[in-house]
Amino acid sequence: MNLDLTPADAAFRDEVRAFLDENLTPGLAEAGRLTTSVFTDRDWNLAWQKVLYKKGWVAPSWPVEYGGTGWSEMQKYIWASECTRAGTPNLSPMGLRMCGPMLMKFGTPAQKEFYLPRILSGEDYWCQGYSEPGSGSDLASLQLKAVSDGDDYVLNGTKIWTTHAHFANRMFCLVRTDGSGKPQEGITFLLLDMDTPGIKVEPIITLAGEHEVNQVFFDDVRVPKKNIVGAENQGWTVAKYLLEFERGGAFAASLAVGLEKIREITASERAGDGKRLADDPAFSRKIAEAEIEVKAMEMTEHRVMAELAGGKNPGPASSMLKARGTEMRQRLDEIAIETIAYYAGVEQMAARAPGSNVEPVGPADGMVFMPTYLNNRAASIYGGSNEVQRNIMAKLVLGL
């Protein structure tokens, strides 16, 4: 596998860097730098999305006919890597990475015509109605009931850990339409408006002190049956396809950036004996081991890219990348906390707000280490727990 860039790809990389230099404003860059989870705050991620939408670069993985870029797999990888290195805000993945590709495969012509342009422009901001109390990784046990009533379903129940539901105007949702057979066979995939009467969003404040997730309650919520994606009671197939896009992704670039930030701090921070952390043999070994793991992740991503270039979908490889990437991210978080020691315990919500004039306590990059660590503890659970991912790999790859 030749990892050297072709002259055309090198020229594309330079074009991307020039675009980022020109369009990534100091405010947007600061918002990206201060992001502590998968999600940048809505105002900042939508501001960046509008910049990319104007350029025509908002959905690199979409087919050209739906507004995609037509880039090769290597160009997509270059784009993702350069955005990570530049520190751009994270675009919300719910519409662009998950709902959009799902609609392209399973949506009706009317659904595609209506929703896809609104996802691209950011006019529709989506949240995901999957998990429920007691039905997280065991998603097939969900109980949000959808009772048929003429041309509508009437929904009663609740969803939990619903990221950015307090911002979203749309939700893609799994509901229980039949409880008589196997759990997977009675689930239907619905699209719904968040301003529908009977929907109530209650905040959940995370350990990091942030309002990112919510619990959503449904009390006799009427959803038109025309909003079904796929067929009634066949939503499990749609949901599995969508999760392939939630689980995959380019981890290596973000891991490399995180590792570099740690290296920079170790060059100045002191260990208990007064010496630089960079000169501590035991700590240096941890950094070296992590660097090897990051390089291995990069090689794996390149192999997956080769398959994608051949027209295959992520398949079980997305489970492998999700499991390994999230565990490596958590490992780097732990090293980062060790790097700044007691500074990690300082609560700095005011200093972490973009545009704040509050001086950070300790290294400036370090003030996001603890909230990032806390947020990323969930990374090996959401999108299907890593234990579930290993079961998928055992079945689809090893045939067990």
Side-chain angles (χ1 to χ4, degrees):
M1 181 169 57
N2 184 2
L3 298 181
D4 293 333
L5 294 180
T6 66
D9 286 334
F12 175 75
R13 179 200 58 198
D14 294 342
E15 180 186 2
V16 167
R17 289 177 177 175
F19 171 80
L20 293 174
D21 286 342
E22 181 179 351
N23 291 277
L24 187 63
T25 65
L28 288 168
E30 184 182 32
R33 180 175 62 84
L34 295 174
T35 298
T36 59
S37 77
V38 175
F39 289 78
T40 301
D41 284 347
R42 176 193 58 176
D43 291 348
W44 291 105
N45 77 52
L46 280 180
W48 182 233
Q49 181 168 343
K50 289 179 180 178
V51 173
L52 299 181
Y53 179 66
K54 182 179 179 180
K55 178 68 172 177
W57 286 4
V58 72
S61 295
W62 286 26
V64 172
E65 61 266 31
Y66 292 120
T69 58
W71 290 344
S72 68
E73 294 304 322
M74 180 55 75
Q75 287 176 316
K76 295 174 192 174
Y77 189 78
I78 291 170
W79 168 249
S81 299
E82 293 299 326
C83 283
T84 298
R85 293 189 178 96
T88 64
N90 296 332
L91 299 183
S92 174
M94 296 301 187
L96 291 167
R97 279 180 46 195
M98 293 191 280
C99 189
M102 176 275 301
L103 284 173
M104 292 174 203
K105 183 172 179 65
F106 292 100
T108 65
Q111 289 170 341
K112 296 176 186 177
E113 181 180 2
F114 180 77
Y115 289 114
L116 293 179
R118 297 166 66 95
I119 291 173
L120 281 177
S121 67
E123 183 176 355
D124 280 347
Y125 196 83
W126 289 82
C127 62
Q128 178 186 49
Y130 274 25
S131 294
E132 298 180 7
S135 297
S137 295
D138 183 19
L139 188 58
S141 66
L142 65 89
Q143 295 299 316
L144 174 60
K145 290 186 177 180
V147 178
S148 178
D149 185 16
D151 292 333
D152 298 335
Y153 288 116
V154 180
L155 276 56
N156 282 281
T158 185
K159 295 291 181 180
I160 201 167
W161 313 124
T162 316
T163 307
H164 280 198
H166 53 306
F167 295 135
N169 67 319
R170 307 279 185 189
M171 174 188 281
F172 54 90
C173 187
L174 294 178
V175 298
R176 174 68 58 193
T177 44
D178 187 355
S180 61
K182 291 183 178 179
Q184 293 89 341
E185 295 175 354
I187 293 173
T188 298
F189 198 107
L190 289 180
L191 309 176
L192 56 89
D193 297 337
M194 289 297 288
D195 61 357
T196 305
I199 295 179
K200 182 179 181 182
V201 179
E202 292 287 350
I204 298 174
I205 306 303
T206 67
L207 283 173
E210 299 167 339
H211 178 197
E212 184 174 280
V213 295
N214 306 270
Q215 185 166 4
V216 183
F217 297 89
F218 300 82
D219 184 11
D220 290 335
V221 175
R222 302 189 73 90
V223 178
K225 291 182 178 178
K226 68 179 182 180
N227 287 10
I228 293 176
V229 180
E232 185 179 73
N233 297 326
Q234 298 300 313
W236 189 249
T237 299
V238 181
K240 286 194 299 181
Y241 180 80
L242 183 147
L243 282 173
E244 288 186 11
F245 294 91
E246 180 179 4
R247 289 169 181 161
F251 288 95
S254 63
L255 293 172
V257 169
L259 188 59
E260 184 58 31
K261 288 182 179 179
I262 293 173
R263 282 188 183 280
E264 291 173 358
I265 292 178
T266 61
S268 58
E269 286 299 300
R270 304 288 167 170
D273 58 4
K275 296 180 180 179
R276 295 189 316 155
L277 277 172
D279 297 328
D280 182 287
F283 198 83
S284 294
R285 178 175 178 174
K286 290 183 181 181
I287 298 295
E289 290 174 344
E291 187 172 14
I292 292 170
E293 293 279 2
V294 171
K295 182 59 67 173
M297 176 65 66
E298 182 182 8
M299 296 300 102
T300 301
E301 288 177 354
H302 277 279
R303 286 197 296 271
V304 172
M305 278 198 304
E307 293 187 358
L308 289 172
K312 300 178 181 178
N313 67 21
S318 64
S319 291
M320 177 178 60
L321 289 175
K322 195 270 183 183
R324 199 71 198 99
T326 53
E327 289 171 356
M328 190 59 208
R329 182 173 291 162
Q330 290 171 346
R331 182 177 170 188
L332 283 185
D333 291 339
E334 292 170 0
I335 296 174
I337 294 297
E338 187 177 350
T339 302
I340 58 172
Y342 45 80
Y343 288 129
V346 182
E347 206 274 359
Q348 304 195 63
M349 289 293 292
R352 288 197 285 115
S356 172
N357 60 3
V358 177
E359 289 293 324
V361 177
D365 283 335
M367 68 178 174
V368 300
F369 284 176
M370 179 58 81
T372 300
Y373 165 84
L374 293 171
N375 273 315
N376 282 343
R377 299 314 298 168
S380 52
I381 299 174
Y382 59 62
S385 73
N386 284 8
E387 291 80 6
V388 170
Q389 307 314 314
R390 288 185 169 87
N391 285 341
I392 292 173
M393 288 183 275
K395 180 179 180 180
L396 298 182
V397 179
L398 302 177
L400 299 178

